[in-house]
Amino acid sequence: MSGYLDVGGRCLLAVVFLMSTVGKARSPALFRAFAKSLRDLRVLPAGGETAAAALIVAAEATGGVLLVFDATATGGALLSAALLTVFAVVIAWSTSRGGSAGCRCFGASTRPLGRAHVVRNVLLALVAVFVAVASHDQRLLAPGTAVALITGGAVALVVARLDDIVDLFGASPDPRTPH
């Protein structure tokens, strides 16, 4: 059972990070908007946002790719856990100081970062920790593996589009965030 949870968790994290990478890097305008959102967090020295944005995109892409292969899954999971923890801490710290950066986590959304984004990143970091300690060389049956991959991918799509889903139903994921 834990082997299928590992596969599902790896798929979830890999898809989230690869969607995030593509969302930010698919056009120069989206990359610049992401860099500006880093400036709006007010945690970086002035002028450091473009380099930080490039580093984040590269780290997310690396983590996503490393999670795909059994031999590198633990490293990908540890990188993912570290990134997600830093994201959660930075968002919490910035918003507690009045920062109002838009969530450019997946490229286009402008919903202000808030508690829901912190919770999302903490939960994903917990998945990454589970994946890091899981065994990646178990013999799994194809039907169970398919279900784990489909489930991980579906959850990743919900995670990546959560701001849009919340907007669709008119609810705010964060009480400080207007619709």
Side-chain angles (χ1 to χ4, degrees):
M1 179 67 153
S2 69
Y4 297 112
L5 292 174
D6 171 51
V7 168
R10 286 168 55 189
C11 180
L12 163 63
L13 293 166
V15 171
V16 163
F17 277 122
L18 295 174
M19 287 181 70
S20 179
T21 299
V22 170
K24 293 171 189 147
R26 72 177 182 242
S27 79
L30 286 172
F31 181 80
R32 284 191 302 275
F34 173 59
K36 181 189 177 306
S37 75
L38 295 179
R39 183 177 56 241
D40 293 344
L41 286 170
R42 299 188 290 180
V43 296
L44 294 170
E49 62 273 357
T50 301
L55 182 63
I56 290 168
V57 169
E60 289 176 338
T62 300
V65 171
L66 290 175
L67 285 159
V68 173
F69 304 100
D70 289 345
T72 58
T74 299
L78 291 172
L79 175 58
S80 298
L83 285 169
L84 291 159
T85 300
V86 168
F87 296 163
V89 168
V90 166
I91 293 167
W93 186 69
S94 175
T95 56
S96 73
R97 295 178 55 234
S100 60
C103 175
R104 294 291 185 159
C105 308
F106 296 95
S109 176
T110 58
R111 177 176 283 279
L113 291 166
R115 286 185 288 260
H117 298 96
V118 173
V119 170
R120 175 194 65 200
N121 288 329
V122 168
L123 292 174
L124 288 171
L126 291 173
V127 171
V129 169
F130 170 79
V131 169
V133 299
S135 172
H136 308 301
D137 62 356
Q138 298 180 25
R139 302 296 177 241
L140 303 175
L141 301 174
T145 302
V147 169
L149 290 170
I150 291 167
T151 302
V155 173
L157 292 175
V158 170
V159 166
R161 305 311 306 182
L162 187 58
D163 287 344
D164 295 329
I165 293 168
V166 168
D167 286 342
L168 181 66
F169 292 102
S172 174
D174 189 324
R176 296 175 301 147
T177 306
H179 320 294

